[in-house]
Structures are given as structure tokens and as C-alpha cells.
Amino acid sequence: MPRFDFGSKVESLIDWLQTHLTWLFDAISAVLTNCFDGVNAVLGAPEPLLMGGILAVVTFWLRGLLPALLAMLGFMIIDSVELWDNAMMTLSMVLVCAVITLIIAVPVGIWASRSKAVSTTVRPVLDFMQTMPAMIYLLPGVVFFGVGVTPGLLATVIFSMPPAVRMTELGIRQVDSELVEAAEAFGTTPGNTLRRVQLPLALPTIMAGVNQVIMLALSMVVIAGMAGASGLGEDVYNAVTRVEIGAGFEAGLAVVILAMYLDRMTAALNQRVSPLGRRALAKAAAMASGWKLVHYRPNTAVAGVGIIVLALVAGGMNMAGGDGTSQAGGTNVGKGKQIKMGYIPWDEGIASSYLWKEVLEQRGYKPTLQQLDPGPMFTALSKGDLDFQTDTWLPTTHEQYWKKYGKKLEDFGQWYGPTSLELSVPSYVKGVKSLDDLKANEDKFGKKIIGIEASSGEMGILKDKIVKEYGLSDWKIVSSSTASMLSELDRSYKSKKPIVTTLWSPHWAYSKYDMTKLKDPKGAWGKGDKIHTVARKGFSNDDPRVASWLKNFKMNEKDLTELEGMITDAGKGKEQDAVKKWLKKHPGLVDKMAPVSGGGNAKGKDAGKAVNLGYFPWDEAIATTYLWENILEDRGYKPKVQQLDPGPLYTALSKGDMDVQFDAWLPTTHKQYMDKYGDKLTDVGKWYGPTSLELSVPSYMKDVKSLDDLKKHKGEFKGKIIGIEASAGEMGILKDKVVKEYGLEDWKIVSSSTASMMSELDRSIKKKEPVVVTLWTPHWAYAKYDLTKLKDPKGAWGKGDDIHITGKKTFGKDLPELNSWLKKFKMSEKDLASLEAEIQKGGQGKEKESARKWMDAHPGLVDKLAPVK
């Protein structure tokens, strides 16, 4: 029978749903996330022992004194292993899932009990929901909602719903039919019969279903840790993938305590809410003898008062509390901003991720770390659920994910490489030096290769290429985890047994064990990868400072393997402690990895002095003026910025009313002002050049390449040249030289402003109309529009200017420190254009903020341009 490809059909359906129902998934995600956040905020707010006391009072009410003491002991154990916060997250998820499940399941069960057709229809659906492997539900959850709490909640609701529906239907169907008939005979409506007869009598069975829902929800919440759900599931998943028995036992013990608590409480709740249960409870209390205190259960009012008192104490402690921690303003550049990081449980991923977590915390950010397998990791990045991760192996190992998600990601470049992938054997296995030797020694190894995560690119290459190239198709490839592979290697090495494992370089295993990297004469592994940092699309715009730090990040093999070794030795839960210890051995590394603007805002020698900065509205003048306003503020000066036309600005400088300006085009454009005021000014020096002045036309004016071509196309341009400010030197040259040299005296020179000229250019290009404008180089217009600079064969424009900084006569004497900084100031065309573009993007009134954002993307710039000792 031909194969029917169900998988591709399902994937096509998921693609369609993603395209057309995004709004629905966003709404579901918002509801589930907000429900979880609300419950978790309530459970996680009090101190652990106070919250444990509140839960113990609930136990006292439902079960009695001894169970309450045992419950409190269990909560104290959870707190003692430092898993309280995660336990409350898990409890929150269970409660939210249970409530949502029951809201849906109980009505469906009632409907099925009253309609045979509904029951017949629902039964196979419930069979499908309950027998489908639980982890499968995580896959569409991750695709639709990304990693985190939402897919875990949704998968848990689906998986735990069948028992509630079945037990509700069963309980109602088991109610004695004679009782129902009697109620109907006395004229009871169907609704009242359901509420007053069937549901009360079916309540024990329904509550048994509730118990099953909570138990299944708890088991599924733990599995949901694989999709990045918070809580104990994440701890269990981390322990399993790293084969950390101690950490796994602690997390498992916390799950057991929660499971026992929830199981006993739901069973006891049945006795409180069910008429039959209350009758049995009263009978048991009447027959109790001996220690009556042990059997005492407070009534609802007394238990409620106890809970309220503990809650008020907890609230008062939270209001009075506070961490009291503070951070130096110069390094607190993050100001509490959250950064979501993900990592694959590979050693270099763990090491680099915890390193950056520590660095970001020292810079005032609040980073969170989430362990994921590669598939969910790249899915989360592509959806924007994570900000960045540092362990992308390109171009080979993670090629499949880059092909699928690359357009939705940002590559910040390599921080380590090249690497190598390999199979390795212990060196005591003689006669095995190459992959070619494996076939001949297959009996030694039992035809088995111990691999890592099935989703890793290395495993894909191993299965698709290595086994075929070297005739190992009949060998078993054991997919496990990096930690499991290393555990098996350690066990085999200690007993001197042959073993083949997947490894890669760099890896600390080569320093711990004497291993042989198997040669690959056929080149099946391909060339070594490089390890890249990859972020979600748009991260560099949202946080250019962190993006620039990551782009400049580099590590060598010695430092990386040293850090990996220290983290491995420290053990589970001590990764960041190991990073702190390692950083102490490398003083100054944090400042190198994450330089802050202003070197911690160190003050200059002349801090406190006022500086009057003038500028006229040319793009390079705006850009540099607001750049230096930010720099001077960082250095403790008091800058004041004022816009003027060139004439008034030079006049103000000559009279000492203005201190400095950054846009003197010399020797040509501003020659008239230097001739008039030069002896009353200070030429601090040039910071950019040479420039050029020109007339330009849109490139769709095919026949206009030179100033000589303008005359014969006068009609098309309506004999008009769009200029800038009338006082600009470029306008003087245009009127006095260019029009005369090229016979354009009868053309109209429109004096306007730079902004008006750009507006007219933009309007004309959108309509594909002819236009001639005055421009100069550098200018961001050439990046935005396709323009032709008209050649000047007669040299009427003259040679290109250099852009100088000019100050008042006593500038060097009054502001010597600033004068020394400005003498060394230089900008490249690339940096100037990017600064101008950032200011253009920010818009009018946001120049200073835009310049600051650009500075954040160029960390260390203040120290470079304005160094202080």
C-alpha cells in the first residue's frame, strides 16, 4: 500500500494556522500567561515559611493536625533545597491548568451524560488526547506560542482533560435512575434535577476526576520544562540532560511532595463538599477516641481567620522589605532592563551564557537564562521569545535551523573558531586511529556510537554522511544528551572498556581523558564551524549597547576551556559562582567585554564649566554637535546648544558669545567668514575631509551627467535649481561661479533651507519629476536616493573642503581640556553617515536622544574621544 504522508499534511495545516490565526494564538497566549502570572504572584509573594504555613492551615482544615504538620515539614524541605520559587511556579501552573480544564471538561461531561450521540462522538477524541505521547503536544505549542509557560499550559490542559470528562459523565450516569424518575415525577425541571439530584450524588466520582486532572497536570507540567516552562520541570529537565543525580533527586523530591499534598487535599476536599462525604466525616469524628486533638479539624471560619492573619503578616513583611542593593550609576547602564537568554546544554554554551549573565548583571540588567534544545531555541528566537544565545555553530552544525529561521534572526558574528566535529575513542583502544578503522573493529564497540542530542547538527551529519561514507549503516547511533554521553565515556574509561563517542573541539574532555580523535580522510565532517552569537530580529535596534558588546565578544581556546572546567567542577547550580571566581582571575575583563559610555562617567578636569555650542542646520553639524553635547554631559560639563545661520554664528564666535562650533568648511565654503572674523577665532583643526560640493539630479534623468548638460535640458527642469540657505558659502559659489561658467545665468536659484531642499527632492523623486538640487558629500541623501552627482569639468566648484572646528579667540585658554579633546577628534564617513541616519530616524526634537542611542551602539567612544586620567 502506498505511503500516505500524514506528517507533511500536518505541517501544511500548521503553516496555514500560523499565517491566518495569529490573532487567536496571541489572545490565547495573553489569557494563559496572565492567569499564570496572577496566581504565581499570589503564591510567590509571601516568605516561603509563611506561604507554607498558609498551605498547612488548609491541610489542618481538610485533614487535621498531624497531616498539617507533615505538610509543613514537606514545604520546609522544599525551601531547604532552594527550590521554593520553582515549586510555587509549578503549583501555579497546576492550579491554572486544573481550573481551565474543569471549566471545559465538566460541561462536556454533563452534555455527554445526557446525549448518547455526544458521548459516542467525544469518546474517540478523548482516547486520542489521552493516548497521544505527552511530549507531542509540546511541538505545536512551541510553534504557535514559542517557548515558555504558554505551550506548557496548553499541552497540560489537553493532556489532563479526558479523565475529567469521563468521570463527570460516569458519575452522572451512575446516579440511581429511580431517584431521577422520582424527581421528575414531582415536577422538577431537568436543570434542577441536574443541580439538586445528579451532581450532588455524582460529586464523589467527579472529585475523583478532579484528582486525576491535578495529578496528570503535575506530571505534564514537569514534561513542559522541555519547552522552556518555568518551575520544577525546568530543574528536572536540566538535571536529566546533564546527568546530575543530586540535583535531579532534589527536584524530583519537590515534585513528590507537591504531588502528595495535592492528592491528599483533593481527596479530603471531596469530604467537605460532598453530602455523602460530610456524613461520613461526621460519623468518623463521633466514633473517634483517644487523642481528640489529633482528629480535630477547625471549621471554615476558624481556618479562614488563620489564613487571613498569615496573609496579612506576609503582606506587611513584603511592604517593609526590599533588597537594599544599589549599583554605581556609571555601570548601571541597564537600569533593570530584562534580557532573555537561551542556551543549549553544551559546555561552551553553558560557559559563555553564564559569563554574559554575570556581565549583564554587573551592568545593571536583569538577564534570565533558559535551557532548551536547539529546535525550540531557534524557534523561540525567531518568534522573539528570547533575545539572544551564544552557541550557534555555523555554517554546518546548525545549518538546518539557519536555513529555516535565518531571515528572522540577527547574526552578531563569531566569537570562537574554527571548531571541529569528530568521533573519538579512548587512547587505550589500540589500532583505531581513523574512521576507516571502525568497521574492522566493530566487535570491540558492539556496533554502537554514543551520541548527543538527536536535534543537534552533529548528529544529523553523523547519520546522513559519516555512517554512509565509512560503511557504518548497520551501527546503532545512540541519541542521548551531552551529559549522558560524557557520563557513559567516564564509566567506560574507568573500566577500560572500548567506546566511540561524538565529541568536538574545543572540549574539556580532551584535557580530562586521554582520547584519540579519529581522522576523517574522506572529509565527511566538513570544515570546522565557527561559534556565533545569534539574536532575534530587531534586538540590535532595541538594545544597541548590548548588541555592540556581543558583536565585539571574543574568547580563545585557553580561556574557554578553563572556564568550562571551573563550571564543571563547581557542579549544578554553581555555574555563576564559578564564573565570578573565573572573572577574579581575569581582572578588567568585564570592562573589556562590556565597556560603558564615559568609563563610568568619570569627570573631566573642567567639569562644571558651561560650554556654548552653536550649529547651523546641516546634517553633519547637527550630528556632531549633539554627539559632543552628550559627551560633555558625561564628563560633567554643562553644555548649551543653540541653532544659528552661519553669519550670526560666526559673529557670535568672534564676539565670544559662543564657545565653539563643528562645521566650518574650509578653505572655500566659509572663506568669507574666515576672511572677516578669522583673527578673532581659533581654528581647532579639521575632523573630516575632503568634502565636495555639487549639483545632483535623480538617476532617472538619463541624459544629465554633467553641469554642461543642464543648459540643453532647461525646459525639463523649468530653469530652476533648488538651493539651501542663502547665507551658505555653497550658495555663494553657485551664484558667483557655477552659473557663469556653465551659462546658467537665466536659471532661477531658489534659496530655501536644507530641510526644504530635501523635501522637494523627496517629492520629486516620488513623482519621478526632474529636479536639480544643491548637495554635498558626505550626505545621507546618497544612501536613501539613487542620485547622479553632476560632473564639473571646468572645476567651478573648486577643490573639496575640509570640515574644521572653530572656537572663540580664548577657547584654548578658557576650556583647555575640551580644546585638547577636539584637536584629536576625527570621524570616518561611515561613522558620520550612520550617526546622521540615526538622528534622521529619531526625528526632530529627538536629536540628543538619537545621538545617545548611536553612542550606546559604539561603547567606549567617550573614553576614546574624551579621555580622562
Side-chain angles (χ1 to χ4, degrees), residues 497-544:
K497 290 183 178 179
I499 185 174
V500 187
T501 65
T502 54
L503 267 178
W504 55 93
S505 298
H507 198 287
W508 56 266
Y510 289 116
S511 61
K512 184 174 182 179
Y513 309 107
D514 188 7
M515 303 290 292
T516 300
K517 298 180 184 180
L518 299 185
K519 295 178 182 178
D520 176 22
K522 299 179 181 179
W525 282 116
K527 294 182 179 179
D529 275 341
K530 295 176 181 178
I531 307 177
H532 291 235
T533 300
V534 170
R536 61 174 173 81
K537 198 76 170 178
F539 178 70
S540 57
N541 287 330
D542 296 340
D543 203 319

Side-chain angles (χ1 to χ4, degrees), residues 163-234:
V165 177
R166 294 182 191 277
M167 298 300 276
T168 300
E169 179 185 0
L170 178 64
I172 293 175
R173 288 185 181 277
Q174 285 181 336
V175 174
D176 193 339
S177 59
E178 293 183 359
L179 290 175
V180 176
E181 290 174 1
E184 292 173 347
F186 281 99
T188 307
T189 63
N192 281 332
T193 301
L194 175 67
R195 290 191 299 271
R196 297 183 179 184
V197 179
Q198 292 174 302
L199 284 179
L201 294 175
L203 199 55
T205 305
I206 295 174
M207 288 303 296
V210 172
N211 180 273
Q212 289 300 304
V213 166
I214 291 177
M215 292 298 101
L216 287 174
L218 185 59
S219 67
M220 188 61 189
V221 161
V222 173
I223 295 174
M226 298 176 63
S230 304
L232 296 173
E234 186 176 16

Side-chain angles (χ1 to χ4, degrees), residues 56 59-72 292-298:
T59 308
F60 190 20
W61 172 57
L62 290 174
R63 298 274 299 180
L65 181 60
L66 182 58
L69 294 175
L70 292 175
M72 189 65 195
K292 297 225 175 198
L293 181 61
V294 174
H295 300 284
Y296 171 71
R297 301 183 189 184

Side-chain angles (χ1 to χ4, degrees), residues 549-567:
W549 293 343
L550 294 171
K551 288 175 182 177
N552 294 322
F553 173 49
K554 294 287 185 294
M555 282 193 87
N556 59 43
E557 183 172 357
K558 179 182 177 182
D559 288 343
L560 178 56
T561 53
E562 180 187 43
L563 178 57
E564 288 177 354
M566 291 179 69
I567 289 175

Side-chain angles (χ1 to χ4, degrees), residues 183-504:
E184 292 173 347
F186 281 99
T188 307
T189 63
N192 281 332
T193 301
L194 175 67
R195 290 191 299 271
R196 297 183 179 184
V197 179
Q198 292 174 302
L199 284 179
L201 294 175
L203 199 55
T205 305
I206 295 174
M207 288 303 296
V210 172
N211 180 273
Q212 289 300 304
V213 166
I214 291 177
M215 292 298 101
L216 287 174
L218 185 59
S219 67
M220 188 61 189
V221 161
V222 173
I223 295 174
M226 298 176 63
S230 304
L232 296 173
E234 186 176 16
D235 292 304
V236 172
Y237 174 58
N238 291 351
V240 169
T241 54
R242 300 190 197 180
V243 194
E244 293 172 335
I245 298 175
F249 176 80
E250 291 175 352
L253 179 62
V255 172
V256 169
I257 292 171
L258 278 185
M260 292 178 65
Y261 178 82
L262 292 170
D263 177 65
R264 303 302 189 270
M265 292 308 100
T266 51
L269 186 62
N270 177 38
Q271 293 181 318
R272 284 286 188 179
V273 300
S274 165
L276 296 177
R278 286 196 298 269
R279 189 180 306 166
L281 188 63
K283 184 178 179 180
M287 296 177 63
S289 60
W291 294 88
K292 297 225 175 198
L293 181 61
V294 174
H295 300 284
Y296 171 71
R297 301 183 189 184
N299 60 36
T300 304
V302 173
V305 169
I307 291 172
I308 291 172
V309 169
L310 289 174
L312 289 173
V313 172
M317 291 182 64
N318 285 339
M319 290 178 66
D323 57 16
T325 58
S326 61
Q327 196 166 6
T331 57
N332 186 23
V333 293
K335 298 179 181 178
K337 184 176 181 180
Q338 290 190 340
I339 300 286
K340 296 178 181 179
M341 302 165 55
Y343 72 96
I344 305 167
W346 297 354
D347 294 288
E348 73 285 343
I350 295 169
S352 56
S353 297
Y354 276 97
L355 173 60
W356 272 108
K357 184 174 186 290
E358 174 63 22
V359 170
L360 289 172
E361 285 181 354
Q362 291 193 28
R363 287 295 181 252
Y365 290 85
K366 288 187 177 179
T368 58
L369 263 181
Q370 198 167 16
Q371 176 184 320
L372 294 165
D373 278 348
M377 170 81 73
F378 282 95
T379 302
L381 284 169
S382 69
K383 294 174 68 67
D385 296 329
L386 293 177
D387 290 314
F388 73 89
Q389 64 100 351
T390 59
D391 204 24
T392 300
W393 287 49
L394 295 173
T396 305
T397 307
H398 290 146
E399 177 185 16
Q400 56 178 315
Y401 303 111
W402 190 254
K403 284 182 177 179
K404 187 172 183 179
Y405 300 113
K407 293 180 180 178
K408 299 178 182 179
L409 305 175
E410 292 184 6
D411 183 1
F412 288 164
Q414 73 168 82
W415 61 269
Y416 182 91
T419 64
S420 64
L421 305 177
E422 55 252 356
L423 293 183
S424 296
V425 300
S427 59
Y428 55 72
V429 181
K430 304 301 181 183
V432 183
K433 304 294 183 183
S434 165
L435 292 173
D436 276 324
D437 299 327
L438 288 176
K439 185 75 175 173
N441 292 274
E442 59 185 20
D443 292 337
K444 288 183 182 180
F445 302 107
K447 293 186 177 181
K448 186 166 65 176
I449 298 171
I450 308 300
I452 53 174
E453 292 79 6
S455 58
S456 71
E458 182 173 13
M459 291 294 284
I461 298 170
L462 175 62
K463 294 175 181 178
D464 296 339
K465 295 183 180 180
I466 302 299
V467 297
K468 293 178 182 178
E469 286 288 340
Y470 292 95
L472 306 176
S473 301
D474 57 338
W475 281 49
K476 182 179 181 181
I477 310 298
V478 181
S479 300
S480 57
S481 68
T482 302
S484 299
M485 176 272 292
L486 290 169
S487 178
E488 183 67 15
L489 172 61
D490 185 75
R491 187 186 64 79
S492 299
Y493 197 89
K494 287 176 179 176
S495 57
K496 295 272 183 178
K497 290 183 178 179
I499 185 174
V500 187
T501 65
T502 54
L503 267 178
W504 55 93

